[in-house]
Amino acid sequence: DALSRLHRAEEPLGLLYETLRACRTLGDTEGVREVRLSLVRVYASCGDPRRAMPHARLALAMAERTQDPVALADGLTSVSQQWERLGEHTVALDHARRALDLYTRLGHLDGQAGILIGMGRAEQGLGRPAAAIGHYEVSLDLDRALGDRFREAHALEHLGDAHAALGRGKDARALREEALALFEDLHHPDAEPVRAKLRTAADYPPVPASSQLSP
């Protein structure tokens, strides 16, 4: 998982498939489910949601058999994230809302913070940056409370994107600069896309007001 966060896909894949074989040999079904979720993270980190999706669906199916609420929420989150990356934002939101409901009932703050970013991305994909901002801001508060600086940086970056889509260039720049400072402090490669956004001369034009409404 740590290697996948650094976008080093080749190294974790070998480790994970070796672990998957070991878990199957041992009859460790929970281990198999966890490895599936890790494989999703690796494929997603290298921009390949089509290869990630089968593992996400298998992890969700395994959770549905056991009805473990945390496993169900994690599976729904994983599937939702892949649908969002594939551009199926409405389907992604449906899975994400179910995951958020489970995480909220469980008091699982880390899960809530993660799925809220996914919900914001889906709302942006549907042309509703104002709705996305609400999700990102809640995630940002949770990330800071949890001390997750990596996801805090991503929440700030996405907030910057949403403000840029609304034509709020000054706010967008400030948020992106804050995100960049965090990524640089973490020595993380995700700093470069933020630098590229800051180098862009003009932000995106504001979206029409009608498209900013939630369903």
Side-chain angles (χ1 to χ4, degrees):
D1 286 350
L3 289 164
S4 71
R5 275 195 167 192
L6 294 169
H7 309 308
R8 292 162 60 180
E10 294 304 318
E11 296 166 84
L13 282 175
L15 293 169
L16 289 172
Y17 279 112
E18 182 180 347
T19 305
L20 186 61
R21 287 191 294 271
C23 288
R24 284 171 170 166
T25 300
L26 294 166
D28 181 0
T29 55
E30 177 61 14
V32 169
R33 185 190 66 81
E34 291 179 356
V35 173
R36 294 285 183 197
L37 291 174
S38 291
L39 284 166
V40 171
R41 287 187 278 271
V42 173
Y43 285 123
S45 75
C46 57
D48 198 348
R50 293 192 184 279
R51 294 188 73 181
M53 180 65 91
H55 296 289
R57 284 176 160 167
L58 284 167
L60 178 56
M62 294 178 76
E64 287 171 339
R65 285 196 290 272
T66 64
Q67 286 298 301
D68 177 272
V70 175
L72 271 171
D74 288 346
L76 287 164
T77 295
S78 192
V79 171
S80 172
Q81 289 170 340
Q82 305 325 304
W83 279 127
E84 185 274 321
R85 292 182 174 105
L86 289 167
E88 298 291 343
H89 304 298
T90 300
V91 181
L93 273 176
D94 176 62
H95 285 75
R97 287 174 180 136
R98 290 160 61 195
L100 180 62
D101 180 62
L102 283 167
Y103 284 135
T104 302
R105 285 193 275 133
L106 291 164
H108 196 306
L109 300 183
D110 185 66
Q112 291 176 53
I115 196 59
L116 282 163
I117 285 185
M119 292 175 73
R121 285 170 57 97
E123 290 286 8
Q124 276 193 258
L126 291 167
R128 299 192 289 248
I133 286 171
H135 297 313
Y136 294 146
E137 287 179 340
V138 178
S139 179
L140 182 61
D141 288 342
L142 290 171
D143 296 331
R144 285 172 170 166
L146 292 165
D148 189 334
R149 299 175 72 221
F150 175 73
R151 197 162 53 208
E152 177 187 353
H154 276 291
L156 287 163
E157 179 187 1
H158 292 314
L159 267 172
D161 295 344
H163 280 281
L166 290 167
R168 302 169 183 166
K170 185 177 180 181
D171 292 335
R173 183 167 191 83
L175 289 160
R176 287 167 173 169
E177 286 175 344
E178 194 174 353
L180 179 60
L182 276 173
F183 281 132
E184 288 180 335
D185 194 47
L186 294 168
H187 305 287
H188 199 279
D190 283 348
E192 185 50 42
V194 183
R195 287 193 197 98
K197 291 173 185 177
L198 287 167
R199 287 195 296 265
T200 302
D203 287 311
Y204 297 107
V207 297
S210 60
S211 67
Q212 298 169 25
L213 302 176
S214 294

